[in-house]
Amino acid sequence: MAGCFGFSFMQLKFKRTRAYFRSHGLESKSIEIDNNSILNCWAPRPVQDEKRIQSTCRPKPALLLLHGFGADGMTSWEYQIAPLTKQFSLYIPDLVFFGDSTTKSTQRSEYFQAECMLKMMLKLGVQKAVVAGFSYGGFVAFRMAHLYPEFVERLVIISSGICMNPRTNDILLEKSGASDITQVLLPESIEGLRTSFDLIFFKVPWLPDCFYRDMLETMGGSREGKVALINGLVLGKQDAPPLPKIDKDVLILWGEHDKIFSVKLAHQFKEHVGKQAELIIIKDAGHMVAMEKPKDVNTALLSFLNSTYSH
């Protein structure tokens, strides 16, 4: 039986969030980027009124938002939609094996995800964009800046351990008591999900077991595919090539109490990027900083993004 007493709070939330996205001018699109992959993406709904089109001084700049491992695009960026849609054309995809995005390709690295994102955006008619990535999405965003510098105008990295090493996961496993990183990122039990929540949030409110059960039963995407994505990561591996330099302005946002990727990794990434990087540590927040402190995150995002287009 789904949810609590047969009622799914998560299904209700998904329904309300979809309506919320539509009310801000977004629509869900299914994009066949090649013969192997179909991606789902929330993108600006075409304006039908010609007078409204003519009255627009200039198109809004494009902003691509890439989600983390625990959710799809719609769920991850809900609290950023209202302030950002006023000034930017938002593109919020489900990465491959999340939500309704699928592939028949055997590739599983963040390089592959970056390639898929570029193909999708070009299919949507977008030639350049600011790219923001949270956690796993930050890995993909970094690779896009590395591989496609002509497409990525600026980069935003949120709680993403780009400078991690093989020991990073070991520390996380010690904290969680898990034997494998997939147990932390892809929990299959109520107890496992509670442990994950304790790690990703600074403060976790008490929730009944049925709420966690509801979440487990309504998680979308392919678990098998997500496990393959974890194993396919190049970043942080023992035999990974040196981290490339990127010649971009970069905003780095991090929760002060992040237990997934420590603040130390934020400082390491800032040092790696150099003087083009700005680091903001947000107080009283954990790994899910955009959900826990949306006002702080949105203020930082808009300040950085507006400075891009004020020149």
Side-chain angles (χ1 to χ4, degrees), residues 168-182:
T168 303
N169 281 351
D170 294 339
I171 296 171
L172 184 57
L173 292 175
E174 289 173 9
K175 290 180 181 177
S176 65
S179 59
D180 186 90
I181 194 63
T182 58

Side-chain angles (χ1 to χ4, degrees), residues 98-267:
F98 294 85
D100 294 323
S101 294
T102 62
T103 188
K104 293 184 286 187
S105 170
T106 58
Q107 297 186 64
R108 298 294 182 265
S109 73
E110 72 273 19
Y111 287 88
F112 173 64
Q113 294 274 22
E115 180 185 0
C116 288
M117 291 300 105
L118 179 71
K119 287 181 177 179
M120 179 196 73
M121 293 296 279
L122 295 178
K123 284 271 188 178
L124 290 168
V126 181
Q127 302 300 317
K128 59 182 180 178
V130 175
V131 182
F134 163 66
S135 198
Y136 175 74
F139 301 159
V140 180
F142 176 78
R143 288 303 184 196
M144 290 187 74
H146 163 213
L147 298 170
Y148 313 113
E150 71 289 346
F151 177 84
V152 178
E153 293 186 290
R154 274 186 166 190
L155 188 63
V156 180
I157 297 297
I158 305 174
S159 306
S160 183
I162 292 167
C163 291
M164 66 181 182
N165 57 51
R167 175 65 180 148
T168 303
N169 281 351
D170 294 339
I171 296 171
L172 184 57
L173 292 175
E174 289 173 9
K175 290 180 181 177
S176 65
S179 59
D180 186 90
I181 194 63
T182 58
Q183 295 175 3
V184 178
L185 300 179
L186 299 169
E188 295 184 279
S189 67
I190 292 172
E191 182 182 357
L193 191 54
R194 282 188 184 275
T195 299
S196 293
F197 268 43
D198 286 339
L199 289 171
I200 64 176
F201 289 105
F202 175 51
K203 291 182 178 179
V204 184
W206 180 87
L207 295 168
D209 283 356
C210 63
F211 179 85
Y212 289 101
R213 186 182 305 111
D214 192 17
M215 288 195 66
L216 290 169
E217 293 176 352
T218 54
M219 283 182 179
S222 163
R223 189 180 194 281
E224 181 182 354
K226 293 174 186 176
V227 171
L229 293 177
I230 294 172
N231 295 329
L233 267 175
V234 175
L235 284 171
K237 293 291 176 65
Q238 190 71 50
D239 57 350
L243 200 65
K245 289 285 188 179
I246 53 172
D247 185 21
K248 299 289 177 186
D249 289 338
V250 182
L251 173 65
I252 307 166
L253 299 177
W254 222 275
E256 179 184 23
H257 303 282
D258 195 326
K259 300 173 197 170
I260 300 294
F261 295 126
S262 72
V263 173
K264 180 181 177 181
L265 290 171
H267 289 284

